[in-house]
Amino acid sequence: MQKQSIFAEFTEITPSAPIDAERHGWRAKCLQRLIRLDLPVPRTVALSADTVRAIAAGVTPDTARLAAAFGGALVTIRPSPANPEWGGPTTVLNVGMTGAKHAEIAAVHGRAYADALYLGFVQSYAIHVARLDPDMFTAEPSPEALAAALAAYEAEMDEEFPQSPARQMGEVLRSMARAWEGTTARLLREAKGAPSDAALGLVMQEMAQAVGPGLSGTGTIQLIEPVTGAPQVTGRFRGLNPANRKAEETLYLVRDRRGHSLEDAAPEVFAALQAHCRTCRERLREEMLIEFALENGVLKVIDAVKVQRSSRASVRVAVTLATERIISRDDAILRVEPRALSELLHHQVDPRAPRDRVARGIAASPGAASGRIVFSSADAQAAAARDERCILVRRETAPEDIRGMHAAVAVLTERGGITSHAAVIARGLGLPCIVGASELSLNPRDRVIVTRSGRTFREGDVITVDGTNGEVLAGSAEMLEPALDEWFTTLLHWADNVRDIGVRANADTPDDARTARMFEAEGIGLCRTEHMFFDEDRLTVMREMIFADTAKDRKVALDRLLPMQRADFIALFDIMAGLPVCIRLFDPPLHEFLPHDREGMRELAEALDRPLSEVTRRVEALSEFNPMLGLRGVRLGVTVPEIYEMQARAIFEATVEASRRGAAVVPEVMIPLVSAKREVELVKTRIDAVAAAVRTATGADFTYRMGVMVETPRAALRAGEIAQHAAFLSFGTNDLTQMTYGLSRDDAGRFMGDYVNQGVFPEDPFHVLDEDGVGELLLIGSARGRQTRHDVTLSICGEHGGNPASIAFCRRSGFDYVSCSPFRVPVARLAAAHFALKDPDIAQGNKVISND
């Protein structure tokens, strides 16, 4: 009774059959849809997931009934999980091929065809069902090869090859069912997002015999080019040469001067295939690849699957389908994965071109570039001056490498993690970057790189950095241009109409601000002013200020920096044209602006006209055991207040100047690394005094907003009292994660992979926001801040601001906006729209954004 009830669970797929995607899988449901569209699909039977589970558990299937359903025809058995992305066991073709069937086919179609068919099935059965050594079953078709394969099977299995179609069918079904339940298969599909209990359906279909006196063969067809998404008939057809019926060849689909085509050989079939593709597109609401066969001139549609496509093609297809009203705009938004947009913003290695991979590292900043290897920032600048493309290769980058990074077309480091200095700066600049490339051994002194396999690359050799997938390639690779086209722009405008959390950009320079505007950021959420001081003409002045012995001497140097900073801020305000600009006051420890090698100290001594011994002593005095936890941020503002006063004056004077010639500017001044309310009070008092002085001196009135960067655990815990003096709280999740975990973000990459693999952390917390630990601090800080000041603006401005999962957390938590690197703004805009569409009921304190 149990067997009978279970094996009533195979269903012939007809237009009205009770086929369900959850029970029978995506392939069974898709085939039913094709049948409903009157496409010529061969007879097909679906086995439910319950049936497949029973087979895997040892229940013997009633294969005699199954075989009878096909009337002695050969059968193909394919996997049909609920989601096509989950994969499945290998398809087995020509089940039912026996010695008697071989003789029958040979009599009709010839011995050579029958031998090839039988051999292919024996090889497939031996490898995928009997699990025999594949090396024993790899011979090319011939009468001798068939005999040898049958003999090898009998020798290994101690029995002849099964001659019962029902037995073959039962063994194939059992093998596929058990393969799905295996540990390796389960782990592979779970890695693709499948639940641990994901079920498998199976589909059995009558084989279309692609042979006969008329045109015969098999092929695939689709109506788009898979890399660009442009309309184009694409595919292949393998059949008999129309001019020589005994020779098999691959035909072009579309008429082509280079050779025979299906359009020439069978124009009515070619037209029917295009019509079938268009029907699938309109009725299934998707660009489909159709697998077909011609049997003596008769067309059979075997299967149809979603066209595999690049990210740029996905955007174009989704927008085109929505524009033609085949799908809705909301549907189009949800069909494009936010992370996929990163690939459209930069040059990419053409996936159709060959790749000579020499090493792999962490994909830290997307895009790809080719150039000559240089090992120092000075060499990178020299190469740029010669208009020569170069790739900066370093063990790790430091702040003084910023000029070299600006000059390079890509960055490659031997060490570092996803939030190391090189990664953060490269993402901000839109530079392709790979960090943690431990497969490379770098020797800066000899200016040579050695790969794990022993290949050597010297300064001046050309390599390609593919920051999208973390691969280092030898030589210059073929590239695809960025895809900032009409489809990209349209999709993001549709996204803006539905998202309900703001998106700003982290921008430190006018170039960054222009990029932010190009990607339609709603303002600057973080401007790191210290990056402005690393330019050549400012660095010496900055060092003079550091070496000054008195406040008066410091002010002399700062007065020289003031007009430079003012010009920076005027440029930012002009570019942003009235959009908010949040300026973080000086943050890093002063030692970052000083050289650390003897040659650099000698050059500094000459520039400052001071003895080398004095320079050496001062550098040593400023060094700290743990500088990122030392004299930096607000601590400098309290102990060396002249720096913040200069910056505040530059901000306010720029505000007056920019407001006179354009939109009114309301700057946001942010105090970094706060831990105590008193720090905010001291800095705010001084900045308010500077603002009053500028108003008096210029005769102009202006307003500004003062806020705090919450990046220490104590600031999050004391946010209630800090918010008394802050119009906004911006959570700097880079440092907050670092301090919460007690981890160096620059060094964690060395062991983070092991931690994630062993389940210590689910993800790298510097890459994906830790909602349990760091997230709890964000929730505590935001709740206490709003309890004190209900209108306080909340945001995050660390690298997590561009991560979709982190954006979802911020949206659920009622934050007003996220801020991220300019090149991550499109990703954030689309991700925010996804969450608004998927979860529209979340209460938001934010104003819904509409950009028609």
Side-chain angles (χ1 to χ4, degrees):
M1 287 297 295
Q2 182 186 20
K3 181 168 72 173
Q4 184 66 29
S5 64
I6 288 173
F7 284 95
E9 277 294 321
F10 68 81
T11 307
E12 182 171 355
I13 302 179
T14 64
S16 59
I19 301 297
D20 177 77
E22 288 298 317
R23 292 179 61 236
H24 298 97
W26 71 272
R27 177 169 270 123
K29 191 62 186 177
C30 182
L31 286 167
Q32 185 181 48
R33 288 169 177 155
L34 299 182
I35 292 169
R36 287 173 175 171
L37 295 174
D38 292 327
L39 270 63
V41 177
R43 180 183 301 165
T44 307
V45 164
L47 276 67
S48 71
D50 289 340
T51 300
V52 176
R53 282 199 185 99
I55 296 172
V59 176
T60 303
D62 188 354
T63 51
R65 286 182 60 212
L66 277 172
F70 290 96
L74 298 181
V75 173
T76 178
I77 304 180
R78 286 189 171 96
S80 181
N83 187 321
E85 301 296 328
W86 298 347
T90 303
T91 293
V92 180
L93 306 176
N94 295 306
V95 180
M97 189 69 187
T98 63
K101 193 71 175 177
H102 171 263
E104 178 186 319
I105 294 173
V108 178
H109 300 297
R111 179 68 181 269
Y113 177 75
D115 283 352
L117 213 61
Y118 199 2
L119 175 63
F121 176 58
V122 171
Q123 291 172 330
S124 177
Y125 190 96
I127 295 168
H128 300 298
V129 179
R131 310 291 173 183
L132 300 181
D133 184 353
D135 291 340
M136 300 173 62
F137 299 92
T138 57
E140 293 296 316
S142 70
E144 296 78 15
L146 174 58
L150 289 169
Y153 182 92
E154 185 171 346
E156 291 294 312
M157 299 297 292
D158 291 327
E159 64 176 7
E160 70 172 3
F161 189 79
Q163 294 301 305
S164 163
R167 182 186 169 192
Q168 290 178 3
M169 198 173 288
E171 294 298 331
V172 172
L173 292 174
R174 184 178 294 107
S175 173
M176 294 179 76
R178 289 179 175 172
W180 177 262
E181 299 292 342
T183 301
T184 301
R186 178 175 54 78
L187 292 174
L188 284 173
R189 63 178 178 265
E190 285 180 6
K192 298 175 183 177
S196 58
D197 60 348
L200 175 73
L202 291 173
V203 165
M204 303 176 64
Q205 185 180 79
E206 181 178 331
M207 287 290 299
Q209 294 303 318
V211 66
L215 184 63
S216 301
T218 59
T220 60
I221 183 172
Q222 63 193 50
L223 298 186
I224 64 165
E225 201 284 321
V227 173
T228 65
Q232 177 181 308
V233 176
T234 305
R236 58 168 176 76
F237 177 71
R238 183 75 175 171
L240 295 179
N241 186 328
N244 179 4
R245 303 299 304 164
K246 294 182 180 180
E248 193 177 34
E249 69 167 358
T250 299
L251 279 67
Y252 296 100
L253 291 183
V254 182
R255 186 173 291 115
D256 195 299
R257 287 179 296 179
R258 293 173 293 176
H260 299 291
S261 71
L262 183 61
E263 185 177 14
D264 284 324
E268 69 290 343
V269 171
F270 180 66
L273 282 169
Q274 292 184 87
H276 292 333
C277 284
R278 287 192 291 269
T279 298
C280 288
R281 182 178 188 271
E282 293 166 6
R283 300 289 294 279
L284 302 184
R285 308 188 315 142
E286 183 56 275
E287 292 286 357
M288 303 294 285
L289 175 145
I290 289 180
E291 183 181 348
F292 67 93
L294 283 181
E295 184 176 315
N296 196 23
V298 177
L299 176 63
K300 302 282 187 180
V301 171
I302 297 170
D303 203 0
V305 296
K306 173 184 170 183
V307 172
Q308 293 296 309
R309 64 199 69 163
S310 70
S311 297
R312 64 184 62 210
S314 294
V315 171
R316 180 167 180 169
V317 168
V319 171
T320 301
L321 290 175
T323 303
E324 296 177 9
R325 301 187 181 277
I326 294 172
I327 63 175
S328 68
R329 290 183 176 184
D330 289 355
D331 229 355
I333 292 168
L334 292 172
R335 286 193 181 193
V336 179
E337 181 66 28
R339 287 185 180 89
L341 290 190
S342 296
E343 298 180 22
L344 277 65
L345 311 180
H346 312 274
H347 286 85
Q348 298 290 338
V349 175
D350 192 329
R352 298 164 294 191
R355 302 169 74 95
D356 182 6
R357 183 174 74 84
V358 297
R360 185 185 294 276
I362 298 170
S365 182
S370 302
R372 298 188 181 279
I373 295 172
V374 297
F375 290 93
S376 71
S377 289
D379 289 338
Q381 290 174 277
R386 298 191 300 269
D387 202 22
E388 187 174 276
R389 295 170 63 84
C390 68
I391 291 175
L392 179 62
V393 181
R394 304 283 284 164
R395 281 220 169 92
E396 295 174 282
T397 61
E400 56 264 29
D401 288 315
I402 287 177
R403 294 191 302 279
M405 294 177 72
H406 273 282
V409 296
V411 178
L412 171 64
T413 68
E414 184 182 2
R415 302 171 185 163
I418 198 69
T419 55
S420 62
H421 178 270
V424 172
I425 300 303
R427 283 194 290 272
L429 297 175
L431 277 180
C433 178
I434 296 174
V435 299
S438 56
E439 295 179 6
L440 298 176
S441 177
L442 174 63
N443 186 333
R445 176 175 297 178
D446 295 338
R447 297 178 177 266
V448 67
I449 302 169
V450 180
T451 71
R452 188 170 288 173
S453 64
R455 295 178 68 174
T456 299
F457 295 86
R458 302 185 181 280
E459 185 173 50
D461 288 347
V462 175
I463 60 172
T464 298
V465 166
D466 188 343
T468 301
N469 63 16
E471 290 186 348
V472 183
L473 311 176
S476 183
E478 294 181 37
M479 297 287 179
L480 294 174
E481 294 290 324
L484 306 180
D485 48 32
E486 59 184 292
W487 298 282
F488 172 86
T489 303
T490 298
L491 182 73
L492 287 179
H493 285 171
W494 291 349
D496 290 339
N497 287 335
V498 299
R499 65 182 169 88
D500 51 12
I501 185 170
V503 178
R504 295 194 195 179
N506 300 341
D508 306 333
T509 66
D511 283 345
D512 292 342
R514 278 186 281 270
T515 303
R517 287 303 304 274
M518 179 176 69
F519 293 137
E520 301 186 44
E522 297 167 311
I524 294 176
L526 173 63
C527 173
R528 292 162 288 210
T529 53
E530 60 271 7
H531 290 168
M532 301 172 176
F533 295 128
F534 284 104
D535 287 346
E536 196 69 52
D537 57 337
R538 307 177 187 199
L539 188 57
T540 301
V541 182
M542 188 68 186
R543 288 170 169 175
E544 288 178 7
M545 187 276 295
I546 293 171
F547 273 77
D549 295 315
T550 66
K552 181 179 179 181
D553 290 340
R554 279 195 294 273
K555 187 175 184 308
V556 170
L558 289 168
D559 283 347
R560 292 173 59 194
L561 288 172
L562 174 63
M564 303 176 191
Q565 281 263 275
R566 183 170 60 235
D568 290 330
F569 296 137
I570 289 173
L572 287 181
F573 294 151
D574 285 347
I575 292 167
M576 299 312 292
L579 292 174
V581 177
C582 182
I583 299 169
R584 183 180 75 181
L585 298 174
F586 191 87
D587 179 52
L590 295 177
H591 82 95
E592 287 195 3
F593 295 88
L594 300 176
H596 302 287
D597 61 318
R598 190 161 186 83
E599 183 60 32
M601 292 185 196
R602 181 178 289 106
E603 292 176 1
L604 179 58
E606 292 174 356
L608 299 179
D609 194 23
R610 291 174 181 251
L612 176 60
S613 58
E614 181 184 341
V615 169
T616 303
R617 282 196 305 271
R618 182 61 64 90
V619 170
E620 290 174 352
L622 284 172
S623 66
E624 300 178 83
F625 288 110
N626 201 334
M628 299 314 291
L629 299 178
L631 185 58
R632 56 170 284 220
V634 70
R635 299 157 196 168
L636 271 172
V638 170
T639 59
V640 190
E642 298 87 356
I643 298 175
Y644 280 9
E645 289 175 358
M646 179 276 290
Q647 289 192 301
R649 181 172 293 278
I651 292 169
F652 298 142
E653 290 178 356
T655 298
V656 172
E657 177 63 26
S659 296
R660 282 174 177 163
R661 62 193 200 201
V665 176
V666 180
E668 298 175 354
V669 181
M670 183 159 66
I671 308 171
L673 210 72
V674 165
S675 296
K677 178 180 74 169
R678 182 58 178 160
E679 292 172 320
V680 183
E681 291 174 341
L682 290 170
V683 173
K684 187 175 186 300
T685 299
R686 289 182 177 272
I687 289 177
D688 286 344
V690 173
V694 172
R695 288 190 186 102
T696 300
T698 61
D701 195 18
F702 57 87
T703 59
Y704 64 96
R705 303 178 75 219
M706 176 76 71
V708 164
M709 193 167 182
V710 179
E711 48 193 331
T712 67
R714 192 178 194 279
L717 296 172
R718 306 309 299 165
E721 60 186 35
I722 289 173
Q724 296 172 18
H725 306 293
F728 60 88
L729 300 175
S730 188
F731 290 80
T733 52
N734 295 351
D735 267 325
L736 187 57
T737 299
Q738 187 167 237
M739 295 188 191
T740 301
Y741 275 84
L743 280 176
S744 164
R745 62 178 178 173
D746 293 317
D747 299 319
R750 299 180 186 180
F751 61 85
M752 190 57 68
D754 291 335
Y755 260 50
V756 172
N757 289 337
Q758 296 185 52
V760 180
F761 302 147
E763 295 282 355
D764 182 341
F766 293 108
H767 183 52
V768 176
L769 182 69
D770 163 35
E771 296 185 15
D772 295 333
V774 179
E776 186 171 358
L777 285 172
L778 264 65
L779 292 174
I780 291 171
S782 60
R784 292 180 180 178
R786 281 206 165 140
Q787 190 173 16
T788 298
R789 188 168 183 161
H790 70 88
D791 63 343
V792 68
T793 301
L794 300 174
S795 67
I796 67 169
C797 59
E799 279 300 296
H800 296 98
N803 179 273
S806 307
I807 294 169
F809 176 85
C810 291
R811 180 176 175 269
R812 291 196 307 270
S813 306
F815 278 48
D816 295 280
Y817 69 86
V818 297
S819 188
C820 54
S821 301
F823 282 91
R824 302 183 85 182
V825 166
V827 175
R829 290 165 63 193
L830 184 58
H834 272 228
F835 300 127
L837 291 171
K838 292 176 180 177
D839 199 358
D841 298 328
I842 289 180
Q844 279 284 298
N846 307 338
K847 182 174 71 175
V848 175
I849 299 158
S850 178
N851 296 328
D852 291 324

